[in-house]
Amino acid sequence: MGLISRSVIPLLFLQTLSTFSSSRADEIILLQGEHRPLPKSSSIWVENGSIVRIDEGSKGEVLKGLKPGQSEIRLNGITSEVQVLSLDQERTRRRLKLVLEKTLQLKMQLQEGRVQIIGRLVRLSDMEAITNSCATSFCNFKMAAEISEGLFTQVEALMNQRLGQFSLPKMRLDRGEYLTVHVPLKSSLIKETQRALSAMGIQIETSTTAIELAPLVKVQITLAEVKRDYLLQYGMKWPNAYQAQILPNFSGITDAQFVSAQFWEHSGAGRVLASPNILCRSGKDAEFVAGGEFPIKIVNFRLQDVIWKKYGIVLKVSPLADYSGRMSISVETEVSSIDPSRTVDGVPGLFTNRVQTHFDLTKPRTIALSGLIKSEDSKSSEGWPTLGQIPILGALFSSKDFKENKSELVIFVRPEIISPDAMGDEPSLPTEIKPLATKDSYEHF
């Protein structure tokens, strides 16, 4: 540093100078708040007084760094550039200096008190080395190096791999003056994203047009109505009240539940009412309806209106999930049928079984909901006309049969988080429509 006279530099300054050595002869690097002794000068000029300041010290004039930034000073007609760094910028500079010595065509520069990597990135291993060196400690720098088209795709994949380690959604990498990603202005993931990508020098920019991606949750639901006496006959002990149970997490549990439901249906022991797969964005609601609606007429002195009441199978799912695999699922299930025996003013009643539950999972598991029991009692009698109706003696001339049918509604729920990349390509649509039936097929019936 030709501007500073070595004869007037104390020992403490020599240690500071060796610690914060500049990369160019006309560049001075200061820490924020640091004092640097200056040689005696007849004229001193400072470009930006808010970045650096000249103070009077005990042994002469000193240069003090006020805040991170860049300024020029002129001593005795010689102009020098001063870079004032914060403590984290200086730590980043030291760490990256060791890594960049082993890379190709990459170098470091300081601009406006910020560390930047410039040059040209020609190997993915160089980007991995930079990322690994800053993975355990916070680095604050900009990646402003040029990147070829083929290598840029690999860098973007490396970025998304790191985002996955922090349970963050995948993002698109943009390049201009430096590498950036755009996040929504009011995103709750800005700090986490910045912490994940700081090791790669990728900058976070907020945008009012960016959309924050949320996990997509796939919920497999199977509703089966099973004869309760069949279950008791084969030794399956079901509770007398509603119960939710997490089934063992063994391989093929999803297939096992459907095979079991098909066995119930084929053997006459029950029937599968519905088996939908519902896709829903985290934080939103999804609904599945299989049934119908009947009208209810409302008449009063002000208006006349008709509302429609749904019946059949209604499933409502409200999932909440993150990219680490944790899920909070709210499920509401309703199975109803029209009961003509309870008709009032032309409006029939409904037989309704309803389940509303909420559970939290850390990985995909199958939840079994049971205990909704429907009981039907019937009796029939046979006997001689008139004689069978005589009190007390009528029992000698008649016979009675009693029958009790019980069925249980069993609900299987299996949620899992799916990645948009795992959904595969979009299926191709048919180019022509073929007739479903011919004249001969109609005549066959």
Side-chain angles (χ1 to χ4, degrees), residues 246-421:
I246 300 180
L247 298 184
N249 188 21
F250 57 85
S251 178
I253 181 63
T254 305
D255 297 335
Q257 74 180 45
F258 288 105
V259 171
S260 178
Q262 291 175 1
F263 171 72
W264 290 337
E265 188 170 17
H266 291 168
S267 63
R271 57 175 178 164
V272 176
L273 302 179
S275 183
N277 291 334
I278 300 177
L279 290 176
C280 186
R281 186 180 189 267
S282 175
K284 300 298 181 179
D285 299 332
E287 184 176 3
F288 170 85
V289 179
E293 296 179 327
F294 61 88
I296 301 176
K297 188 175 182 180
I298 300 176
V299 180
N300 56 34
F301 65 93
R302 290 184 178 180
L303 55 87
Q304 295 184 6
D305 197 4
V306 175
I307 62 174
W308 295 86
K309 176 66 177 178
K310 295 180 181 179
Y311 70 93
I313 299 174
V314 180
L315 302 175
K316 296 181 180 180
V317 179
S318 300
L320 188 63
D322 60 20
Y323 284 94
S324 65
R326 295 175 296 184
M327 295 173 285
S328 181
I329 309 295
S330 178
V331 179
E332 183 176 351
T333 304
E334 179 179 309
V335 179
S336 59
S337 59
I338 294 179
D339 181 12
S341 64
R342 291 180 173 82
T343 301
V344 178
D345 294 336
V347 180
L350 290 176
F351 284 119
T352 303
N353 289 324
R354 183 183 293 111
V355 175
Q356 186 173 2
T357 185
H358 190 105
F359 51 88
D360 298 332
L361 297 173
T362 57
K363 58 182 178 180
R365 300 292 296 273
T366 301
I367 308 297
L369 311 175
S370 63
L372 294 176
I373 302 172
K374 181 174 67 175
S375 179
E376 297 178 355
D377 298 332
S378 63
K379 64 179 181 178
S380 61
S381 61
E382 296 180 356
W384 292 92
T386 308
L387 294 179
Q389 300 176 0
I390 299 175
I392 301 176
L393 295 178
L396 300 175
F397 302 95
S398 63
S399 63
K400 295 183 178 181
D401 294 330
F402 296 90
K403 186 177 181 181
E404 181 181 7
N405 292 327
K406 288 186 178 181
S407 62
E408 183 168 2
L409 185 64
V410 183
I411 305 171
F412 297 98
V413 182
R414 182 179 177 85
E416 62 178 325
I417 300 174
I418 63 174
S419 170
D421 298 337

Side-chain angles (χ1 to χ4, degrees), residues 62-281:
V62 295
L63 181 66
K64 181 179 181 180
L66 300 179
K67 67 178 183 179
Q70 177 179 324
S71 178
E72 288 186 352
I73 63 171
R74 186 176 300 150
L75 299 174
N76 297 326
I78 301 176
T79 302
S80 300
E81 185 179 273
V82 180
Q83 296 283 348
V84 180
L85 304 181
S86 61
L87 183 59
D88 69 304
Q89 286 290 305
E90 173 57 23
R91 289 173 179 170
T92 300
R93 188 183 72 87
R94 290 187 186 182
R95 185 175 295 273
L96 292 179
K97 182 180 179 181
L98 299 176
V99 179
L100 294 179
E101 292 175 353
K102 303 177 183 179
T103 61
L104 295 177
Q105 301 184 28
L106 292 178
K107 59 182 179 178
M108 180 174 53
Q109 77 170 12
L110 301 177
Q111 184 178 13
E112 300 294 337
R114 294 287 308 272
V115 177
Q116 290 188 354
I117 294 181
I118 60 175
R120 182 174 179 83
L121 183 66
V122 296
R123 300 184 305 187
L124 183 64
S125 59
D126 291 342
M127 189 66 174
E128 292 174 343
I130 294 172
T131 304
N132 293 335
S133 67
C134 295
T136 57
S137 61
F138 179 75
C139 289
N140 189 0
F141 69 99
K142 288 184 178 181
M143 176 57 72
E146 297 180 7
I147 306 176
S148 62
E149 186 66 31
L151 192 58
F152 180 81
T153 304
Q154 300 179 43
V155 173
E156 186 177 46
L158 181 64
M159 177 195 70
N160 285 319
Q161 180 182 356
R162 182 161 178 82
L163 289 173
Q165 296 173 357
F166 285 77
S167 301
L168 294 171
K170 292 184 177 181
M171 297 183 180
R172 190 184 69 179
L173 184 61
D174 297 324
R175 56 179 173 179
E177 185 180 352
Y178 44 83
L179 296 182
T180 60
V181 294
H182 292 83
V183 298
L185 182 62
K186 298 182 179 180
S187 173
S188 59
L189 303 177
I190 292 180
K191 290 185 178 181
E192 288 295 321
T193 305
Q194 186 176 14
R195 185 165 66 94
L197 300 184
S198 62
M200 301 181 67
I202 300 175
Q203 304 303 299
I204 310 299
E205 294 187 357
T206 58
S207 173
T208 56
T209 59
I211 299 176
E212 184 172 354
L213 298 180
L216 189 63
V217 182
K218 176 182 178 182
V219 184
Q220 297 174 274
I221 302 179
T222 301
L223 285 85
E225 186 178 13
V226 188
K227 289 184 179 179
R228 185 171 172 81
D229 52 356
Y230 174 84
L231 294 174
L232 295 177
Q233 178 183 356
Y234 279 82
M236 296 180 65
K237 185 178 180 181
W238 294 91
N240 293 324
Y242 167 78
Q243 180 179 358
Q245 181 181 3
I246 300 180
L247 298 184
N249 188 21
F250 57 85
S251 178
I253 181 63
T254 305
D255 297 335
Q257 74 180 45
F258 288 105
V259 171
S260 178
Q262 291 175 1
F263 171 72
W264 290 337
E265 188 170 17
H266 291 168
S267 63
R271 57 175 178 164
V272 176
L273 302 179
S275 183
N277 291 334
I278 300 177
L279 290 176
C280 186
R281 186 180 189 267

